[in-house]
Amino acid sequence: MKVTICGAGRTGHLNAVLFKQHQGLTVSVLTGAAAVANRWTSGDGVWCAEMPDGQVLSGRPDYVGTDPGEALTDTDLVIVTQPAHARPALLGDFARHLPRDRRVYAGAIPGFCGFDWLAAKTLSATDNVVIWGMKDVPHTAFDLVPGERVRMGGAKAQLFAALHRRETAASRAKLQAMLSRLYEAPVAMLQDYLEITLTPGNALMHPAVLYALIGPGAPWEDKPFDRPFCWWSDCPRAGAELLEDCDAENQAIRHAVESRLGIDLSSVKPLRQELIEAYGSQIEDDRTMYTLLRTNRAYAGIHAPLVPNPDGPGLVIDRASRAFHEDVAFGQSLLVELAARLEVATPAITKTYNWALNYHGGFTEGAPACLPINWPEEG
């Protein structure tokens, strides 16, 4: 089996190393970073990953490069790990390079931000492609040195995947078998892709914390940070409380979708329950959202996106971060649009979204562009 990973960031790098621990797998990595490709070509090509227990795994991907034709030749499974805002161009670029002589399973990890709708729209001319996504990353990863090494954080106890609702039961069984070969954690198949789209995650989490850090009346609204800051172990109480409000509104969207489409989305659980089930004993205190976020060992050491202050000393939030371009422009914007079409009030989500739009000031495209025009009547 050949697996093509699109993206050589933290998730892509870690997955490539883990996959190379299996016999009989060809692992290809498509990257937009020429420096990473050149390092693989000019050196020994071995990538490393440090496990939570300190063990170091290594593996050499069979290909690392910028040529989609080479990366996708004879591939069976495509895993897109690039952020949501990079996916429209990526899918458009590699569509003509996908094999046409076999079923190709093209999916995203994680599969949020309407990936199923985007892929169906972009790959409409390739009828041999099976579209899928995974609910969340199988493991957290951090401290990436591109093309060399990465550290693995917490691992999920169970993985969940779904297919576009157009796909068949046979494709569903095949995908489950392929993913079960790649990952140690058991893989469960969800009934509807909206279970991924509405699962609470970064589109709720990062904007809420950003608002509590630098939004109106926040401690760092008008001043730089004097030290690096961790998203979760340093999360302010106001951020955790705002996150709970946003999560409650996401549940209201879920219930409206269930009523409108007549489907069961009970797997879309409140965020705190999701995190407890995902990380279990890695959380020292799960009594509240605030204590859970600050004591989850799987989240320890994950830094907020800070860069040197261009106007003086200290650090400021990086406007180029995925927290804006993925989580706001694609994640939050889709939730806002879904809520509007379903006539669900989302004051907390909308407040953080509108603030982020004004604070950033540079978004040109977002996830609603891929949402079928007649959704929820068809989707």
Side-chain angles (χ1 to χ4, degrees):
M1 181 171 77
K2 178 175 178 179
V3 181
T4 300
I5 300 170
C6 298
R10 296 186 300 270
T11 297
H13 184 117
L14 178 59
N15 276 271
V17 175
L18 295 177
F19 295 169
K20 289 305 295 182
Q21 307 310 303
H22 300 283
Q23 296 294 321
L25 281 180
T26 299
V27 178
S28 176
V29 180
L30 177 63
T31 175
V36 173
N38 292 338
R39 185 176 293 117
W40 178 84
T41 302
S42 60
D44 61 11
V46 175
W47 288 8
C48 297
E50 181 180 341
M51 301 293 101
D53 62 3
Q55 177 188 10
V56 176
L57 301 180
S58 62
R60 184 183 188 278
D62 298 278
Y63 172 81
V64 178
T66 60
D67 180 1
E70 180 71 20
L72 293 162
T73 297
D74 296 330
T75 197
D76 300 293
L77 183 73
V78 178
I79 299 176
V80 175
T81 64
Q82 287 187 321
H85 56 281
R87 293 174 182 178
L90 171 71
L91 292 178
D93 188 39
F94 78 45
R96 61 190 176 91
H97 298 287
L98 290 169
R100 301 304 301 270
D101 62 344
R102 68 188 70 195
R103 286 277 182 199
V104 178
Y105 290 73
I109 297 181
F112 51 21
C113 297
F115 177 81
D116 58 330
W117 291 318
L118 172 65
K121 181 178 180 180
T122 309
L123 305 177
S124 59
T126 50
D127 57 7
N128 63 313
V129 174
V130 177
I131 297 169
W132 63 277
M134 190 173 284
K135 188 170 80 167
D136 200 355
V137 292
H139 331 79
T140 57
F142 55 103
D143 286 353
L144 173 69
V145 178
E148 294 185 19
R149 64 182 184 273
V150 74
R151 292 177 62 190
M152 185 177 110
K156 299 295 190 302
Q158 186 169 19
L159 305 179
F160 298 90
L163 288 85
H164 190 287
R165 57 175 52 191
R166 74 183 190 186
E167 310 299 358
T168 66
S171 293
R172 172 189 171 97
K174 176 68 172 178
L175 175 66
Q176 185 174 27
M178 296 170 90
L179 296 177
S180 296
R181 181 179 176 186
L182 296 175
Y183 296 104
E184 291 185 3
V187 178
M189 299 301 297
L190 301 170
Q191 296 300 313
D192 195 287
Y193 202 97
L194 281 165
E195 295 175 82
I196 291 178
T197 301
L198 293 176
T199 290
N202 289 346
L204 297 179
M205 298 173 74
H206 289 152
V209 176
L210 283 173
Y211 189 94
L213 292 175
I214 60 175
W220 288 276
E221 179 185 7
D222 296 314
K223 68 176 184 179
F225 294 80
D226 59 3
R227 61 176 178 84
F229 189 95
C230 290
W231 271 125
W232 311 118
S233 50
D234 294 331
C235 178
R237 188 179 297 276
E241 292 173 349
L242 179 57
L243 175 55
E244 289 183 304
D245 292 339
C246 292
D247 185 46
E249 293 173 4
N250 189 66
Q251 284 292 307
I253 297 173
R254 167 213 149 182
H255 290 306
V257 171
E258 287 181 315
S259 176
R260 187 72 167 267
L261 298 183
I263 58 177
D264 179 5
L265 299 179
S266 56
S267 72
V268 181
K269 301 170 185 175
L271 177 61
R272 192 162 73 89
Q273 184 178 349
E274 284 271 354
L275 295 176
I276 291 171
E277 292 180 5
Y279 295 109
S281 62
Q282 297 177 85
I283 301 169
E284 296 176 13
D285 185 348
D286 63 9
R287 291 176 298 167
T288 67
M289 182 71 77
Y290 177 65
T291 61
L292 184 157
L293 294 173
R294 292 177 67 96
T295 67
N296 184 359
R297 292 192 299 276
Y299 284 169
I302 301 177
H303 285 93
L306 297 175
V307 294
N309 180 11
D311 300 317
L315 303 165
V316 295
I317 293 291
D318 182 7
R319 281 179 167 84
S321 164
R322 296 170 64 151
F324 289 107
H325 290 276
E326 178 174 69
D327 301 331
V328 174
F330 276 76
Q332 267 199 321
S333 67
L334 182 58
L335 293 178
V336 169
E337 180 64 20
L338 295 179
R341 294 196 188 187
L342 294 164
E343 299 181 339
V344 174
T346 54
I349 292 175
T350 302
K351 176 179 73 173
T352 55
Y353 175 65
N354 288 335
W355 166 80
L357 288 182
N358 293 329
Y359 178 84
H360 188 274
F363 299 128
T364 58
E365 185 181 7
C370 71
L371 184 62
I373 191 170
N374 293 326
W375 192 92
E377 276 64 41
E378 61 181 54

